[in-house]
Amino acid sequence: MDALFTFRDNIRRFYAKNSGIVRPVLKIVCAFSCFFILKLYLGDLAAGLFEPSFMLLFSLLCAFMPWGAITFFAGILTLFAMLETSFVMAGIMLMAMLCIGVLYFGFKPGHGAIIALVCVAFILKIPFAVPMVLGLYLGASAAIPCALGAFMWFMIRYFAENAGDMSRVMDTSVLLSDFSSVVDGFLKDRYMIIVMAAFVLCVLAVSVIKSLSINHAWTIAIACGGGILALLVMVVGAFFEETSLLWDIFGLVASFGIAFVYEFIFFAVDYSGAEKVQFEDDDYYYYVKAIPKIKSEEEDRWS
C-alpha cells in the first residue's frame, strides 16, 4: 500500500515543480481527446471542422486559454457538423450555447469545462462519474453545470439519432416542420429531465454527506449520494427508453471506480489518528476534529 502512496506523492511533487509545462500539455491532450471522442460518436455526421488539422489547432489554442475553452471549441465543432445537416438543429444548438454562455457562465465563469466533460462521460458510458467526483471537488456549485452538460449531451444524441430525417432546405414549411419535430422529440424528453434532476441531486447529496463530521464521510457520500441515485435513474430510465442493462451496470461500476480513485488521491486520511481539539478566544469556544492525511514514508521524510 505504501508503494501506491509513494507513487501518488511523486506525481504531486512532479506536478508542483513542472506545472508551467504540465498544465498546457494536459489541456492539449484533454481538448484533442474530447474532440476526437465526439468525432467518433458522430461518425459520418462529423463533417465541417471535424478534421484533424482543425481539432489540433483548437487543441493548441486551448493550451493558452482557460479550461472552459475546451467546451467552447467542442461546441463550435458540433455546431458546424449540425449546420451541414440541418439549419434548424444548428440554430437550436446556437441558441442553447448563447443562453448557457451568457445567462450562466457570463455571471459564474470557471466551470465551463464541465459541460464537455459530461458529454464525453456519456459517450464513454460513465456519466455518473462526473457528478460524483465534482460533488467531492467543487461541492454544490457543480450542480447546475452538470445539469447543463446533460442537456447538451441529449441535444447531441438527438442530432446523431435523427440526422437522417432532417433537412437543409430553406423553405418555411420545411423549417417549421423540422422545428416542430425537434421540439416534440427533444425538449419533451422526460428521460432527459430525469437525468438532469438526478445529476443535480447527486452533486448536492455528495457535497452534503462529505461535509459531515463522520468517519469515511467521502466514501459514504460516493456510495449513497452517487450510487443510489444512479440505480434509481437506471430503473426509472428503463420505462422511458430501451437501454442495455449490462452497459449500465458496467458504467456504474466504472463510475464508482473513478470516484474512489479520486478519493484515494485527494482524501486518503487515517481515522485512527483523529484528534479532537478544544480552545477559546474572547468571543467563541472552538471544537475542532483533526484527521491526519495518509502520506508515504518518503513523503514523511520530505516533510
Side-chain angles (χ1 to χ4, degrees):
M1 181 62 72
D2 186 67
L4 291 176
F5 289 112
T6 300
F7 178 71
R8 180 200 65 181
D9 295 337
N10 287 336
I11 293 178
R12 285 180 172 179
R13 284 197 297 270
F14 177 81
Y15 180 81
K17 291 180 179 179
N18 304 278
S19 60
I21 299 175
V22 173
R23 191 174 300 168
V25 172
L26 191 59
K27 287 182 180 179
I28 294 173
V29 173
C30 290
F32 190 83
S33 299
C34 174
F35 305 153
F36 185 73
I37 290 172
L38 273 174
K39 177 181 175 64
L40 289 180
Y41 177 74
L42 293 175
D44 295 336
L45 300 175
L49 298 181
F50 270 106
E51 297 293 334
S53 57
F54 284 111
M55 293 194 296
L56 182 59
L57 174 61
F58 291 152
S59 300
L60 293 173
L61 291 176
C62 288
F64 307 100
M65 302 174 71
W67 282 98
I70 297 177
T71 296
F72 174 76
F73 287 123
I76 294 298
L77 290 169
T78 307
L79 180 63
F80 274 85
M82 290 181 175
L83 194 60
E84 293 285 329
T85 303
S86 169
F87 291 123
V88 169
M89 197 68 207
I92 294 175
M93 179 70 171
L94 179 60
M95 288 189 292
M97 290 173 60
L98 290 175
C99 289
I100 292 173
V102 174
L103 298 180
Y104 181 75
F105 293 112
F107 297 96
K108 191 175 180 59
H111 295 165
I114 294 176
I115 291 181
L117 185 62
V118 170
C119 293
V120 169
F122 269 106
I123 295 174
L124 298 179
K125 307 295 185 181
I126 51 171
F128 273 91
V130 179
M132 287 182 192
V133 171
L134 293 180
L136 295 175
Y137 175 52
L138 295 176
S141 63
I144 294 179
C146 277
L148 294 176
F151 177 82
M152 295 301 290
W153 155 251
F154 277 94
M155 182 177 292
I156 294 172
R157 191 186 74 161
Y158 180 85
F159 166 69
E161 293 178 351
N162 299 276
D165 299 328
M166 299 177 184
S167 172
R168 295 182 76 245
V169 177
M170 291 296 292
D171 181 82
T172 303
S173 60
V174 174
L175 293 177
L176 289 175
S177 176
D178 282 353
F179 182 80
S180 177
S181 64
V182 171
V183 171
D184 290 338
F186 168 66
L187 297 182
K188 294 183 180 180
D189 188 345
R190 289 177 291 178
Y191 182 63
M192 177 186 70
I193 303 300
I194 292 172
V195 172
M196 291 175 64
F199 270 35
V200 172
L201 292 175
C202 180
V203 172
L204 295 178
V206 170
S207 63
V208 169
I209 296 174
K210 68 111 174 182
S211 301
L212 298 177
S213 181
I214 57 176
N215 290 351
H216 307 287
W218 297 297
T219 304
I220 296 172
I222 295 172
C224 295
I228 294 177
L229 285 172
L231 287 173
L232 287 175
V233 169
M234 288 170 56
V235 173
V236 174
F239 292 96
F240 293 98
E241 62 177 44
E242 295 182 3
T243 59
S244 173
L245 183 60
L246 181 62
W247 272 111
D248 288 341
I249 294 175
F250 170 79
L252 183 58
V253 171
S255 298
F256 272 120
I258 293 171
F260 284 126
V261 168
Y262 180 83
E263 180 195 2
F264 168 79
I265 294 174
F266 295 101
F267 299 107
V269 295
D270 180 12
Y271 287 100
S272 63
E275 298 179 2
K276 293 184 178 181
V277 182
Q278 176 183 345
F279 56 94
E280 64 178 283
D281 58 18
D282 294 336
D283 299 312
Y284 295 96
Y285 286 98
Y286 299 90
Y287 298 89
V288 179
K289 181 179 180 180
I291 305 174
K293 294 182 179 180
I294 299 178
K295 297 181 179 180
S296 63
E297 295 179 0
E298 182 180 350
E299 182 70 12
D300 286 334
R301 290 195 297 269
W302 278 68
S303 301

